[in-house]
């Protein structure tokens, strides 16, 4: 089957009712698409993988099931192995090789998108004017967005061969156009 955003969105929303999980999927999608464009890769495919990476998390919220028990469902729905394989690779506990640019990008965008999103939620202007410097400062505060694995944020930038500042700036830029969908304030709201 052809992998399209409509199909990936339909799969995601069939298994995921939580607004915050849907927003996480959208945030990782936007960041992954940003890199697909910059690397001149298949943006639609990369975006679909990102949308789907946690599609089974609501029904499989523990690491003995997520994401490995979701994989057969994706195959059943007709997704090709390139999608299933990339989805599986985002999980640290499975220790699968991140041997393609798509896998490296998905991993690099997963935790950082969540973290930047969290930074935006506590600012009156959301993501506008959010500097890498202040994101890095928050990364050093263990109590802020405590669920985000800092080591994975740092490892992700390294995997992409980017300075952390640049990776953060890219993710902020990627999320800005969908700030409204992510429940973030914008200066337009404040005006
Ligand atoms: Fe996950
Ligand atoms: Fe995720």
């Amino acid at each position: 089957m052809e992998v399209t955003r409509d199909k990936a969105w339909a799969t995601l929303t069939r298994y995921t009712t939580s607004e915050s999980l849907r927003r996480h999927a959208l945030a990782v999608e936007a960041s992954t698409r940003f890199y697909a464009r910059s690397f001149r890769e298949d943006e639609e495919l990369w975006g679909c993988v990102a949308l789907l990476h946690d599609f089974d998390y609501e029904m499989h919220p523990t690491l003995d099931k997520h994401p490995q028990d979701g994989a057969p469902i994706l195959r059943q729905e007709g997704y090709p192995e390139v999608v299933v394989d990339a989805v599986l690779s985002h999980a640290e506990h499975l220790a699968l090789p991140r041997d393609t640019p798509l896998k490296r990008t998905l991993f690099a965008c997963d935790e950082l998108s969540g973290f930047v999103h969290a930074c935006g939620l506590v600012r009156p202007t959301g993501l506008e004017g959010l500097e890498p410097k202040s994101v890095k400062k928050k990364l050093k505060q263990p109590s802020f967005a405590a669920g985000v694995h800092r080591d994975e944020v740092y490892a992700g930038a390294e995997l992409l061969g980017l300075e952390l500042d640049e990776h953060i700036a890219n993710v902020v830029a990627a999320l800005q156009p969908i700030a409204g969908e992510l429940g973030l304030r914008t200066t337009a709201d404040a005006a």
Side-chain angles (χ1 to χ4, degrees):
M1 79 170 213
E2 202 198 340
V3 183
T4 64
R5 189 182 191 277
D6 282 352
K7 282 178 194 159
W9 180 253
T11 303
L12 170 70
T13 53
R14 184 153 0 110
Y15 294 97
T16 306
T17 57
S18 144
E19 183 171 58
S20 67
L21 275 174
R22 287 185 182 188
R23 282 176 171 168
H24 172 64
L26 288 170
V28 181
E29 179 200 22
S31 303
T32 303
R33 278 178 174 268
F34 178 100
Y35 281 110
R37 286 194 296 277
S38 109
F39 301 154
R40 297 177 187 278
E41 294 277 356
D42 185 340
E43 185 180 337
E44 182 86 353
L45 177 75
W46 284 34
C48 291
V49 166
L51 271 182
L52 291 168
H53 82 282
D54 281 336
F55 92 97
D56 70 326
Y57 193 77
E58 199 168 284
M59 67 178 144
H60 301 145
T62 53
L63 295 183
D64 60 325
K65 294 199 166 128
H66 167 75
Q68 55 273 31
D69 287 8
I73 301 171
L74 291 178
R75 293 192 184 101
Q76 221 166 36
E77 299 232 353
Y79 290 98
E81 274 317 292
V82 62
V83 170
V84 180
D85 200 36
V87 165
L88 285 170
S89 77
H90 87 270
E92 277 289 78
H93 64 283
L94 298 180
L96 296 168
R98 299 200 176 98
D99 52 5
T100 65
L102 168 57
K103 292 178 188 177
R104 290 191 280 274
T105 302
L106 175 64
F107 175 73
C109 290
D110 190 1
E111 296 293 280
L112 186 57
S113 300
F115 193 80
V116 168
H117 190 183
C119 291
L121 285 171
V122 299
R123 296 176 76 250
T125 56
L127 297 173
E128 284 164 47
L130 176 59
E131 298 288 341
K133 195 173 68 181
S134 62
V135 175
K136 286 201 294 190
K137 209 167 129 191
K138 284 207 155 53
L139 279 168
K140 290 187 189 130
Q141 300 168 8
S143 61
F144 182 82
V148 173
H149 298 103
R150 273 50 174 183
D151 49 341
E152 293 182 23
V153 170
Y154 302 129
E158 213 175 289
L159 203 56
L160 290 182
L162 294 176
E163 291 298 331
L164 185 57
D165 281 79
E166 192 182 354
H167 186 33
I168 291 170
N170 288 343
V171 168
V172 171
L175 299 191
Q176 253 157 1
I178 61 157
E181 285 171 81
L182 298 179
L184 296 168
R185 283 183 290 262
T186 62
T187 36
D189 298 328

